[in-house]
Amino acid sequence: MEILMLINGIKIEFLKLKRTGIYWFIYIIPAIFTIVNGILYAGSSKQGYEILRAVTFQIFLTFLYPLLIGVITALLIRMERKDYGLNNQLILPISRTRVYLNKLVLLVFLNLMIVITIYLVLAIYTLVFQAKGYSLLEEIPHFVCIWLSGCLISSIQLLLSFQFSGVLVPIAFCTILTMTGMFASAQKTLSMIDFWTYPVLSAFNGYNLFLIGTVSFILTCLFTILGMYLFKNKWINQIGKQ
């Protein structure tokens, strides 16, 4: 019963998202930037699947992916406030924590769609350039870690988007950490404590993917639990006043 209610809640969230222009940006932006970057592989002096993956993903995962997550999360919650969507949901006979959880699960799904999109581009380029060295078993950990690290950023941005009524602070926060993450990713030790570097680190060999994935999963759960607690005991009293 609980699972069915959660699924129905996600369906409603997804239908609301499809009515907005945000939905298409989830696919268009990742596709465009990975397509453009992947072309650079043709002029690369080094060849192979790992090089192709790095060239195709690096700029998007370093800069655009974290920003895209932050902007989408902030706009989703802002639209809910503006259209009184949260107020309407609180009238329904569902737990208050599920309202928050539905938002997080939607973001988890959107992250999955983004990662699938960029991997489809990579798969096409792998065939076009006939890149050697592809291994499905070796690629699965990269895929999962990119996804989980995106979910971690989403869980943090969701907290901020509920804490602040506007979009400026959450987006500014995400922008600052994305910019600092660009420098932190160049330092192997520093990059492991900067969560905004996790997506791009997950695309490269030489990093502890198990550690990145485990930390991302655990922290996503912790930030989600914290968010549900704050939503139920603090933020819910502020929604009707906005």
Side-chain angles (χ1 to χ4, degrees):
M1 186 64 179
E2 291 290 330
I3 296 178
L4 289 177
M5 293 182 67
L6 180 61
I7 293 175
N8 289 333
I10 299 306
K11 288 181 178 178
I12 294 173
E13 295 291 342
F14 187 70
L15 289 174
K16 289 192 295 184
L17 179 66
K18 290 188 70 174
R19 299 191 186 102
T20 70
I22 297 176
Y23 176 77
W24 298 109
F25 282 102
I26 297 169
Y27 302 98
I28 294 175
I29 293 179
I32 289 177
F33 280 93
T34 48
I35 288 173
V36 171
N37 292 327
I39 295 175
L40 299 176
Y41 176 79
S44 175
S45 59
K46 297 181 180 180
Q47 300 293 307
Y49 178 78
E50 293 181 11
I51 303 299
L52 175 61
R53 182 180 61 209
V55 171
T56 306
F57 286 176
Q58 185 171 7
I59 295 178
F60 176 74
L61 293 180
T62 301
F63 184 68
L64 292 169
Y65 184 35
L67 278 180
L68 182 62
I69 294 172
V71 171
I72 288 176
T73 305
L75 291 179
L76 283 176
I77 303 305
R78 179 56 182 167
M79 287 190 300
E80 289 283 11
R81 294 179 188 274
K82 183 178 180 181
D83 300 332
Y84 299 99
L86 290 172
N87 300 66
N88 296 332
Q89 291 180 57
L90 295 176
I91 301 175
L92 300 175
I94 60 176
S95 68
R96 301 302 182 246
T97 55
R98 183 175 289 114
V99 174
Y100 185 91
L101 184 60
N102 286 347
K103 306 296 182 187
L104 191 280
V105 175
L106 174 65
L107 291 171
V108 168
F109 176 78
L110 295 183
N111 275 283
L112 180 60
M113 293 298 99
I114 292 173
V115 178
I116 289 175
T117 299
I118 64 175
Y119 261 94
L120 286 175
V121 174
L122 178 61
I124 293 172
Y125 275 139
T126 301
L127 295 175
V128 170
F129 292 118
Q130 297 182 345
K132 305 298 182 181
Y134 171 79
S135 171
L136 178 60
L137 291 179
E138 293 180 3
E139 197 59 37
I140 289 177
H142 292 281
F143 179 97
V144 172
C145 284
I146 294 173
W147 175 45
L148 289 178
S149 59
C151 294
L152 170 57
I153 296 174
S154 293
S155 66
I156 298 173
Q157 289 297 134
L158 187 60
L159 270 171
L160 293 172
S161 297
F162 271 110
Q163 176 65 39
F164 300 96
S165 58
V167 299
L168 182 59
V169 174
I171 292 178
F173 178 85
C174 185
T175 301
I176 292 172
L177 287 185
T178 299
M179 298 301 291
T180 57
M182 294 173 65
F183 297 100
S185 61
Q187 302 292 329
K188 191 168 185 178
T189 302
L190 182 60
S191 63
M192 292 305 297
I193 60 176
D194 188 330
F195 305 142
W196 262 246
T197 67
Y198 280 15
V200 70
L201 297 187
S202 299
F204 288 89
N205 292 331
Y207 292 93
N208 191 330
L209 295 180
F210 178 79
L211 177 60
I212 293 175
T214 302
V215 171
S216 297
F217 177 77
I218 293 175
L219 289 181
T220 298
C221 293
L222 291 177
F223 281 120
T224 301
I225 293 172
L226 175 61
M228 290 191 295
Y229 173 81
L230 291 174
F231 183 83
K232 180 179 179 181
N233 296 282
K234 179 182 177 182
W235 296 329
I236 195 172
N237 297 321
Q238 303 172 357
I239 291 175
K241 301 176 183 178
Q242 296 169 356

